[in-house]
Amino acid sequence: MSKIDRAKLLDIYTRTMKVNRTDEKFRSLLMQGKVAVMYYCVRGQELVSAAAMAALTDDDYVVCTYRGQGEQTAKGIPPELWWAECLGKVTGTCKGKGGTMHITYPEKGIMVTTGVVGSGLPIATGLGMASQNNGDGKVTLVSFGDGAANIGGFHEAMNMAQLYKLPVVFLCQNNRYGEHTAFADHTSSESISSRAAGYGMRGVLVDGNDVNQVYPAVQEAVDRARAGEGPTLVEAMCYRMMGHFFGADFSYMPKEHLAEMQREDPLPKLRAVMLDHQFSEEELDAVVADIDAEIDAAVAAALAAELPGPEELAIDVFETPLVEAH
Amino acid sequence: MSKIDRAKLLDIYTRTMKVNRTDEKFRSLLMQGKVAVMYYCVRGQELVSAAAMAALTDDDYVVCTYRGQGEQTAKGIPPELWWAECLGKVTGTCKGKGGTMHITYPEKGIMVTTGVVGSGLPIATGLGMASQNNGDGKVTLVSFGDGAANIGGFHEAMNMAQLYKLPVVFLCQNNRYGEHTAFADHTSSESISSRAAGYGMRGVLVDGNDVNQVYPAVQEAVDRARAGEGPTLVEAMCYRMMGHFFGADFSYMPKEHLAEMQREDPLPKLRAVMLDHQFSEEELDAVVADIDAEIDAAVAAALAAELPGPEELAIDVFETPLVEAH
Amino acid sequence: MAEITLAQALNKAIDEAMAEDAGVFCLGEDVSAKQGGGVFKITSGLTEKYGAHRVRATPISETAIVGAAVGAALAGQRPIAEIMLMNFVGVCMDQIVNHAAKLRFMSGGQTNVPLVIRTTTGVGVGFGGQHSDMLEAWFAHVAGIHVVTPSNAADARGLMRAAIDCNDPVIFIENILCYGLKAEDPGPGYRVPLGKAAVARVGSDISLITYGRTVIDALAVADELAKEGISVEVIDLRTIAPYDEATVLASVRKTGLAITLHEAVRPFGTGAELAANIQEKCWDSLKGPVRRIGGTFSPVPFATVLEQAWIPNKGQIIGQIKAALGKG
Amino acid sequence: MAEITLAQALNKAIDEAMAEDAGVFCLGEDVSAKQGGGVFKITSGLTEKYGAHRVRATPISETAIVGAAVGAALAGQRPIAEIMLMNFVGVCMDQIVNHAAKLRFMSGGQTNVPLVIRTTTGVGVGFGGQHSDMLEAWFAHVAGIHVVTPSNAADARGLMRAAIDCNDPVIFIENILCYGLKAEDPGPGYRVPLGKAAVARVGSDISLITYGRTVIDALAVADELAKEGISVEVIDLRTIAPYDEATVLASVRKTGLAITLHEAVRPFGTGAELAANIQEKCWDSLKGPVRRIGGTFSPVPFATVLEQAWIPNKGQIIGQIKAALGKG
Ligand SMILES: Cc1ncc(C[n+]2csc(CCOP(=O)(O)OP(=O)(O)O)c2C)c(N)n1
Ligand SMILES: Cc1ncc(C[n+]2csc(CCOP(=O)(O)OP(=O)(O)O)c2C)c(N)n1
Ligand SMILES: [Mg+2]
Ligand SMILES: [Mg+2]
């Protein structure tokens, strides 16, 4: 049995399935050619995002990446706004100007989704700085990949966050690939979490396919951050079960390794944990059915929604709309 | 008794005193107002540079910083060229166009002196990559400060160098300050060398005031690099006994700490080691006298040398001189 | 009112803003009291008043400095980040250009980045190739960011307050050689609106459009030429981008001739935009082509003799003015 | 000769250079065989021929990628570094601008940096605000670096060989939307000299000066307007900086009218330099002001409808040409 109580487990399960069903829906729409946009699949990483978001309050801040559907959905962006943004509609979170790589929704704490690898970590450090400055008690969680751990901004942010003991959780979703490059071909150390020591920071390595590892680790990191004990680097081992983005070549991913990783799929494992906790099959299926209904409605609304008008190009560039770009 | 043989000791002593006498001379010229240029004093760090350069061959590559007088002098840039460059004369290594922060002298392997903190590490990685590619057997040593260890380029270079097992020695001269900021106020870890583990790299921490620690450590790192065993991070603890540059405010440096550090001065310690090894006072003084004579002659020549002409502005910008900058 | 230096003016503006708004804070290398209040002392005395959280001395980590400032700004604070010298933006352009400048737009206006990035630079200090560049044209070419530079102490005070007030990111460029310039202190609360140029000297024969340190040269030249009966109008842009087109065009329509002047290298510099725009919009008023004066197209050299040859000088300015007026 | 795509042309040029000179090598994210030869396959097949040391897949570390390339170039090699998308130069401008571009000068000519930095970008792919910018104007403003971009497959082959030959650093900009363009293969050894523009179409009424993907639009417009009796001369700069002033000025002196066109945002873009220089040097030949067309002054939006509205389009080009000719 796990240490996570039933209510929290159901919460995590629900969030996980929202992420998974959104991912499945997106891929099916793309496959059918009903939409044609960049989408970075999260199949295999749903649990990490969901469990991490379940450790945060609504007000806590999140910074994520182009592969941020998990954080965005699990933190609670309303599906109709999320889908509309992904489809480039004016009813989207960002009026269609941000798109899949730049989903933003401060109402639920999704402050930045960045497309530049590693750039979120310094920004998260600043959100944490603001919270430390004004004592608002918020925690900032930044999600990033294994590949991002090799860019300079990672290093600078880790050192700075620890130096000031900022309330930040650095969540590395180690899905074994940075675009086409396998972990061992881009990183000279065994793990990313082992780098925490070089900053005097707490580092934790967990199995991202196991709810009983990932949730407690993130929750502890969040609690410590909130208590003023400083940042933690949590590395969750997982696997990117698809290509880098939908439609991208993934011939470079060894079939055997993929098969091995599929046996570690977090979803059947999570379902087993739920059943262990006396959730019935029917209950669990009902959760998914509700989610599917919500997603279908959101997609339908997004497909029907208006496109942004060209006047949007002059708006939101500066606070004062540009009259004429001289 | 030390493990370093007498000939090598004399070599290190000679290089150390060249660095020290050059530093003293520069400060005296600046003090007297005979020259007025930016100069980054190396008082307190002479031994680290000298011992490190003594571990390299003439052909090995060096990348250093604005505070690179030690590497430059100890690697063997002819004093008359070095002084002429510092004084902005056309007879200088770089025709007066580089200056104190950008001394270059490929003939002795001084490939880049950079003024941008931390930028030398990636460049050194590339010099090592070239040597690995063409099998020339050269080793590249890059010298940088404690402050530089917090910039992104440090991190990227460390990971990349280790990933490819490049023949590079990363020499961190931890002089306890980055400009006005003390080590503990800019770095969240206890040491810089402890970061090596996060890259799977060998890391070594030595007392930079002790020739018996610094020389063997760098020599071993060089030997391993040359043997194809990959890079090493050597951190040499030392102390910047002056302000950041000549004339700069250093009121922020606590007097007691300075006094304590002065008791660790590498020069009397090195002299004691030399005497232990049966070098006579006279012999050691004669070395210094020769150095002083050489420096005096170089300074006189540099002071008398011609200034670069304005045509130099159009030369060396591109391979083909600019006719007119349209 | 007493006189203040440009450095003091900046310090006063920041101090005042920090006193009025608890969300304003400074971060950057060496900025706190423990380090003497910054290498140019612009933040001196602030730690003592506002505490260490609001004057954060940082590691040498420009990406984290600007990135953290972006994050804090997103959370509603008003950070003032210092990049010690302008060339070091090379290590943090991503945070400035891809993030600070774009987040308002990419979020559809849900977030904004009220951030001031202070930085200094300048040719003529003997700092050489990697510490002297004027890179304002890079930022001017980016939508979403204001680029500001004062040429005198009073404007420094007013522009800094306006920059801190601004709800968009502002690159605030200081010139090392100008820190000591003195002016009558305009006093507390003084603001110079962003996007408004100053007619630094009224004239009728030709418009000399410049900003920053070269305004001083421009005014000196105008003085000198006045003695020869040549009347030069000097425009100090103050905000380089988006700039005050109305003032610039009105001046050129009046004089019929224009010269742009800056320390940055001429090719692809801000003078190019000014010249291109002026010739397009004032075509019928122009009596001759717009001329441009800028730094030599080479890295900034170390040797003083070369560095002085590199900078646009008064002789060049006079030469161009006379040539434009057919008095060459 | 067979037809090749622009992507294949680049691959052939690099392959050929690697075969001829053991010092030529590639580095960048995903470039080796194990990753499929680069996300756009430009380096495919090279690992198999030249081994892993000469086709180095790197970590996501642009500062180290360019920095390492600078170091290897200093040691006499000829690295070809790939920055996957142009916006990511934001994290490594320091190595490009403060180092690659300046080391020859700052060393007084003792060292040089024969480095090609390949990168791609382009508006119209739906990549949004952080993956689509054209930043050539930043590099053009820096002394010591060449900025090159091909508009067709043949030039791609020839310019890439010339860039690899060049003893100075070269920024080589590819446009994602152009990778599939086909042309007759110019064959082995083909070179297009740097600094030489092409008169892509001879005309007499007006000069349309452009480069990269917009050359295609320019040629299409010229075709279209020919039917109306308007003769447009299209200049393809090929090298954006330092550019072929002689060809540009000769064209404008002939036609008496000029329009600049690029995808990058108009303010402070490369069109500004062209316009400023043309009006100064061709003043007496000009029948009207130089006009400029560029991308909208905002971050690149995501929604296709907005992205298409953002890009300069044929209608705009035709409109400007007709306005210039007084046929608006
Ligand atoms: C600075 C930068 N370099 C390169 C890229 C191109 N790129 C986009 S995603 C990606 C891989 C990132 O890998 P990782 O951090 O592991 O995240 P994942 O995609 O696996 O979630 C790369 C190289 C980028 N966006 N930003
Ligand atoms: C990227 C960058 N940021 C800031 C500076 C300004 N600066 C010059 S030296 C220096 C301190 C460097 O400290 P450290 O690396 O310890 O070297 P030291 O001067 O002690 O030898 C700083 C901040 C710079 N040159 N480059
Ligand atoms: Mg990954
Ligand atoms: Mg130091």
Side-chain angles (χ1 to χ4, degrees):
Chain A
M1 288 306 265
S2 86
K3 300 152 289 184
I4 310 172
D5 69 35
R6 280 189 97 239
K8 184 52 82 178
L9 265 183
L10 182 60
D11 177 27
I12 296 172
Y13 176 79
T14 307
R15 296 185 200 238
T16 304
M17 294 317 296
K18 279 187 180 169
V19 177
N20 175 256
R21 301 310 295 169
T22 301
D23 191 66
E24 299 285 346
K25 183 74 181 184
F26 217 133
R27 279 185 281 117
S28 108
L29 290 169
L30 288 161
M31 203 94 74
Q32 297 166 48
K34 292 202 179 147
V35 304
V37 295
M38 290 295 287
Y39 175 66
Y40 295 82
C41 313
V42 301
R43 186 69 268 281
Q45 303 181 222
E46 302 93 333
L47 174 66
V48 177
S49 304
M53 295 305 104
L56 299 174
T57 70
D58 268 14
D59 288 344
D60 286 334
Y61 294 133
V62 170
V63 177
C64 58
T65 74
Y66 50 91
R67 199 182 306 289
Q69 188 265 103
E71 290 75 56
Q72 292 149 17
T73 301
K75 189 94 195 324
I77 300 187
E80 60 281 16
L81 300 184
W82 190 86
W83 281 100
E85 186 59 31
C86 292
L87 272 49
K89 299 302 178 78
V90 74
T91 53
T93 50
C94 313
K95 300 191 270 181
K97 292 153 91 164
T100 50
M101 283 205 251
H102 305 298
I103 302 278
T104 309
Y105 195 62
E107 265 188 60
K108 290 283 182 180
I110 301 286
M111 300 305 288
V112 179
T113 297
T114 178
V116 185
V117 167
S119 293
L121 289 89
I123 295 175
T125 301
L127 288 161
M129 202 179 281
S131 294
Q132 187 181 67
N133 284 355
N134 65 23
D136 63 16
K138 293 184 186 180
V139 169
T140 299
L141 182 144
V142 53
S143 162
F144 56 96
D146 48 301
N150 292 323
I151 204 159
F154 165 91
H155 178 70
E156 297 188 9
M158 293 284 286
N159 180 59
M160 188 181 277
Q162 180 64 29
L163 193 67
Y164 300 142
K165 296 216 169 7
L166 298 177
V168 179
V169 178
F170 295 93
L171 176 64
C172 179
Q173 303 201 20
N174 187 336
N175 64 5
R176 322 293 170 110
Y177 279 95
E179 204 137 353
H180 297 199
T181 305
F183 182 70
D185 294 327
H186 68 59
T187 296
S188 61
S189 56
E190 293 286 300
S191 70
I192 300 304
S193 48
S194 67
R195 290 183 175 168
Y199 309 101
M201 195 188 289
R202 228 177 123 246
V204 183
L205 179 67
V206 297
D207 178 352
N209 297 324
D210 179 356
V211 67
N212 285 311
Q213 286 195 41
V214 57
Y215 173 74
V218 177
Q219 187 66 63
E220 188 183 357
V222 169
D223 292 345
R224 292 176 69 112
R226 207 171 322 269
E229 291 165 37
T232 303
L233 170 59
V234 180
E235 178 179 15
M237 300 307 295
C238 51
Y239 194 76
R240 195 191 75 198
M241 294 205 185
M242 303 275 152
H244 177 58
F245 54 83
F246 180 85
D249 170 35
F250 58 101
S251 55
Y252 54 87
M253 293 168 79
K255 301 257 170 327
E256 321 76 61
H257 192 224
L258 178 56
E260 186 191 323
M261 286 295 135
Q262 274 163 345
R263 285 192 293 276
E264 300 295 318
D265 192 328
L267 297 191
K269 287 191 173 196
L270 178 60
R271 194 163 175 110
V273 171
M274 299 303 288
L275 295 173
D276 256 16
H277 280 75
Q278 322 304 335
F279 290 98
S280 70
E281 299 271 3
E282 296 69 36
E283 245 172 309
L284 297 178
D285 289 345
V287 168
V288 173
D290 285 354
I291 290 169
D292 281 342
E294 194 184 27
I295 292 173
D296 286 344
V299 170
L303 284 169
E306 297 281 309
L307 295 169
E311 70 284 357
E312 283 294 341
L313 291 179
I315 300 173
D316 304 324
V317 180
F318 293 96
E319 182 176 36
T320 312
L322 291 169
V323 180
E324 184 206 15
H326 47 62
Chain B
M1 290 304 264
S2 86
K3 301 153 288 182
I4 311 172
D5 69 35
R6 281 190 96 238
K8 184 51 83 178
L9 264 183
L10 182 58
D11 177 27
I12 297 172
Y13 176 78
T14 307
R15 294 185 201 238
T16 303
M17 294 316 296
K18 278 186 181 167
V19 177
N20 175 255
R21 301 310 295 170
T22 301
D23 191 65
E24 299 284 345
K25 182 73 181 186
F26 217 133
R27 279 186 280 117
S28 109
L29 289 170
L30 288 161
M31 201 95 74
Q32 297 165 49
K34 291 199 179 149
V35 304
V37 295
M38 290 294 288
Y39 175 65
Y40 295 83
C41 312
V42 298
R43 187 68 268 281
Q45 304 180 223
E46 301 94 333
L47 175 65
V48 176
S49 305
M53 295 305 103
L56 299 174
T57 70
D58 267 14
D59 287 344
D60 286 334
Y61 293 133
V62 169
V63 176
C64 58
T65 74
Y66 51 91
R67 199 182 307 289
Q69 189 264 101
E71 289 75 58
Q72 293 149 16
T73 301
K75 189 92 193 327
I77 299 187
E80 59 280 15
L81 300 185
W82 190 88
W83 282 100
E85 187 58 32
C86 292
L87 272 48
K89 299 303 178 77
V90 74
T91 53
T93 50
C94 314
K95 300 191 272 183
K97 292 153 92 166
T100 49
M101 282 205 253
H102 305 299
I103 301 279
T104 310
Y105 196 61
E107 265 188 61
K108 291 283 184 180
I110 301 286
M111 300 305 287
V112 179
T113 296
T114 177
V116 185
V117 167
S119 293
L121 289 88
I123 296 175
T125 301
L127 288 161
M129 201 178 279
S131 294
Q132 189 180 68
N133 285 355
N134 65 23
D136 64 15
K138 293 184 186 181
V139 170
T140 299
L141 182 145
V142 52
S143 162
F144 56 96
D146 46 302
N150 292 323
I151 204 158
F154 165 91
H155 179 70
E156 297 189 9
M158 293 285 285
N159 182 59
M160 187 180 279
Q162 181 63 28
L163 192 67
Y164 299 141
K165 294 218 171 1
L166 299 177
V168 178
V169 178
F170 295 93
L171 176 64
C172 179
Q173 303 200 20
N174 187 336
N175 64 7
R176 324 293 171 106
Y177 278 95
E179 202 136 355
H180 297 200
T181 305
F183 181 69
D185 294 326
H186 67 61
T187 296
S188 62
S189 56
E190 294 285 300
S191 71
I192 300 303
S193 46
S194 66
R195 290 183 175 168
Y199 309 102
M201 195 187 289
R202 230 178 121 245
V204 183
L205 179 67
V206 297
D207 177 353
N209 297 324
D210 179 355
V211 67
N212 285 310
Q213 287 195 40
V214 58
Y215 172 74
V218 177
Q219 187 67 64
E220 189 184 356
V222 169
D223 292 345
R224 293 176 69 112
R226 207 171 324 268
E229 292 165 36
T232 303
L233 170 60
V234 179
E235 177 179 13
M237 301 306 296
C238 49
Y239 194 76
R240 195 191 75 200
M241 294 204 185
M242 303 274 151
H244 177 57
F245 54 83
F246 180 86
D249 170 35
F250 57 100
S251 56
Y252 54 86
M253 294 169 79
K255 300 257 171 325
E256 321 76 59
H257 193 223
L258 179 57
E260 187 191 322
M261 287 294 134
Q262 274 163 345
R263 284 191 293 276
E264 300 295 316
D265 192 329
L267 298 192
K269 287 191 174 197
L270 179 60
R271 195 164 174 110
V273 171
M274 299 302 288
L275 294 173
D276 256 14
H277 280 75
Q278 320 305 334
F279 289 98
S280 69
E281 298 272 4
E282 296 69 35
E283 249 173 305
L284 298 177
D285 289 345
V287 167
V288 173
D290 285 353
I291 290 169
D292 281 343
E294 195 185 26
I295 292 175
D296 286 344
V299 170
L303 285 169
E306 298 280 308
L307 295 169
E311 70 284 358
E312 283 295 341
L313 291 178
I315 301 174
D316 304 324
V317 178
F318 294 96
E319 183 177 35
T320 312
L322 292 169
V323 181
E324 184 206 15
H326 48 61
Chain C
M1 277 282 174
E3 284 210 318
I4 45 167
T5 64
L6 193 148
Q8 288 164 341
L10 296 171
N11 178 268
K12 285 195 183 215
I14 297 170
D15 189 348
E16 204 170 273
M18 290 180 80
E20 284 179 22
D21 179 348
V24 177
F25 75 105
C26 299
L27 74 168
E29 293 152 19
D30 299 329
V31 298
S32 89
K34 210 170 158 186
Q35 297 87 33
V39 297
F40 298 108
K41 308 264 177 215
I42 307 301
T43 49
S44 87
L46 302 177
T47 317
E48 295 83 341
K49 282 194 191 169
Y50 306 108
H53 276 182
R54 291 182 64 198
V55 189
R56 290 186 188 253
T58 66
I60 306 172
S61 304
E62 281 80 3
T63 295
I65 293 168
V66 179
V70 169
L74 287 172
Q77 300 232 315
R78 294 190 172 272
I80 303 171
E82 175 174 324
I83 298 299
M84 199 185 280
L85 286 170
M86 189 164 207
N87 277 84
F88 313 151
V89 299
V91 297
C92 60
M93 284 300 278
D94 170 60
Q95 288 293 345
I96 304 176
V97 166
N98 289 326
H99 294 88
K102 291 177 180 168
L103 290 176
R104 180 191 285 274
F105 185 86
M106 296 199 309
S107 73
Q110 293 175 99
T111 61
N112 65 306
V113 184
L115 159 64
V116 178
I117 299 175
R118 290 184 41 241
T119 191
T120 187
T121 188
V123 188
V125 197
F127 279 0
Q130 292 182 332
H131 287 68
S132 313
D133 288 343
M134 300 288 305
L135 301 169
E136 63 275 11
W138 289 2
F139 300 102
H141 189 46
V142 173
I145 195 153
H146 301 264
V147 187
V148 169
T149 194
S151 69
N152 61 66
D155 280 0
R157 185 159 186 167
L159 286 169
M160 179 55 78
R161 277 313 299 269
I164 301 170
D165 289 343
C166 182
N167 289 322
D168 294 314
V170 178
I171 302 278
F172 196 99
I173 306 168
E174 303 162 16
N175 190 307
I176 302 177
L177 287 160
C178 293
Y179 279 136
L181 292 179
K182 287 189 179 169
E184 194 84 332
D185 183 356
Y190 183 64
R191 280 162 172 87
V192 171
L194 302 192
K196 292 278 166 230
V199 181
R201 181 187 176 111
V202 177
S204 54
D205 293 333
I206 191 164
S207 303
L208 183 54
I209 304 152
T210 184
Y211 51 82
R213 193 195 53 72
T214 44
V215 171
I216 303 170
D217 296 336
L219 291 172
V221 162
D223 265 354
E224 216 171 303
L225 290 179
K227 294 176 202 144
E228 303 181 29
I230 299 174
S231 169
V232 179
E233 177 144 307
V234 177
I235 306 290
D236 177 355
L237 285 185
R238 303 196 292 201
T239 296
I240 301 170
Y243 71 91
D244 183 354
E245 199 185 29
T247 298
V248 169
L249 299 185
S251 173
V252 181
R253 283 187 187 122
K254 179 179 76 175
T255 62
L257 284 171
I259 299 184
T260 68
L261 166 66
H262 51 61
E263 212 171 288
V265 300
R266 192 177 53 170
F268 300 88
T270 60
E273 174 63 35
L274 290 162
N277 201 30
I278 289 169
Q279 62 91 35
E280 189 168 353
K281 306 245 173 80
C282 305
W283 183 255
D284 294 330
S285 320
L286 279 177
K287 299 172 204 155
V290 185
R291 291 159 182 266
R292 293 178 292 151
I293 304 172
T296 307
F297 196 51
S298 83
V300 176
F302 169 74
T304 309
V305 59
L306 290 182
E307 194 184 22
Q308 289 304 320
W310 189 99
I311 319 182
N313 60 42
K314 289 183 210 155
Q316 263 175 285
I317 304 170
I318 292 172
Q320 287 288 341
I321 291 175
K322 290 193 171 172
L325 291 166
K327 301 186 178 174
Chain D
M1 277 280 174
E3 282 210 320
I4 45 168
T5 65
L6 193 146
Q8 288 163 342
L10 295 171
N11 179 269
K12 286 195 183 214
I14 296 170
D15 190 347
E16 203 172 273
M18 290 179 81
E20 285 179 23
D21 179 349
V24 177
F25 75 104
C26 298
L27 73 169
E29 292 152 19
D30 299 328
V31 298
S32 88
K34 209 170 161 187
Q35 298 86 32
V39 298
F40 298 107
K41 308 264 177 216
I42 307 301
T43 49
S44 87
L46 303 178
T47 317
E48 295 82 341
K49 284 194 192 171
Y50 307 108
H53 275 180
R54 291 182 63 196
V55 190
R56 291 186 187 253
T58 65
I60 306 173
S61 305
E62 281 79 3
T63 295
I65 293 168
V66 179
V70 169
L74 287 173
Q77 301 232 315
R78 293 189 172 272
I80 302 171
E82 176 175 323
I83 298 299
M84 197 185 281
L85 287 170
M86 189 164 207
N87 277 85
F88 313 150
V89 299
V91 297
C92 59
M93 284 299 278
D94 170 59
Q95 288 293 345
I96 304 175
V97 167
N98 289 326
H99 293 88
K102 290 177 181 170
L103 290 176
R104 181 192 283 275
F105 185 86
M106 296 199 308
S107 73
Q110 293 175 98
T111 62
N112 65 305
V113 183
L115 158 64
V116 178
I117 299 175
R118 289 183 42 239
T119 191
T120 187
T121 188
V123 187
V125 196
F127 280 180
Q130 292 182 332
H131 288 67
S132 314
D133 290 341
M134 300 287 305
L135 301 169
E136 62 276 10
W138 289 1
F139 300 102
H141 189 46
V142 173
I145 195 152
H146 301 264
V147 186
V148 169
T149 194
S151 69
N152 62 68
D155 281 359
R157 185 159 185 167
L159 286 169
M160 180 54 79
R161 277 313 299 269
I164 300 170
D165 290 343
C166 182
N167 289 322
D168 294 314
V170 177
I171 302 279
F172 196 99
I173 306 169
E174 302 161 17
N175 190 306
I176 302 177
L177 288 161
C178 293
Y179 280 135
L181 293 180
K182 286 187 180 170
E184 194 86 333
D185 184 355
Y190 183 64
R191 282 162 172 87
V192 171
L194 302 192
K196 291 277 167 229
V199 181
R201 180 188 177 111
V202 176
S204 54
D205 293 334
I206 190 165
S207 304
L208 184 52
I209 304 153
T210 185
Y211 52 83
R213 194 195 53 73
T214 44
V215 170
I216 304 170
D217 296 337
L219 291 172
V221 161
D223 265 355
E224 216 171 304
L225 291 180
K227 294 174 202 147
E228 302 181 29
I230 298 174
S231 170
V232 179
E233 176 145 306
V234 177
I235 306 291
D236 177 357
L237 284 186
R238 303 196 291 199
T239 296
I240 302 169
Y243 72 91
D244 184 354
E245 198 185 30
T247 298
V248 170
L249 300 184
S251 173
V252 181
R253 284 186 185 121
K254 179 179 77 176
T255 64
L257 283 170
I259 298 184
T260 68
L261 166 66
H262 51 61
E263 213 171 287
V265 300
R266 191 177 54 170
F268 301 88
T270 60
E273 174 63 36
L274 290 162
N277 201 31
I278 289 169
Q279 62 90 35
E280 189 168 352
K281 304 245 172 82
C282 306
W283 183 255
D284 293 329
S285 321
L286 279 176
K287 299 172 204 154
V290 185
R291 290 159 181 267
R292 292 179 292 151
I293 304 172
T296 306
F297 195 52
S298 83
V300 175
F302 169 73
T304 310
V305 60
L306 290 182
E307 195 184 20
Q308 289 305 319
W310 188 98
I311 318 183
N313 60 40
K314 289 183 210 156
Q316 262 175 285
I317 304 170
I318 292 171
Q320 288 287 342
I321 291 174
K322 290 194 171 171
L325 291 166
K327 300 183 177 178

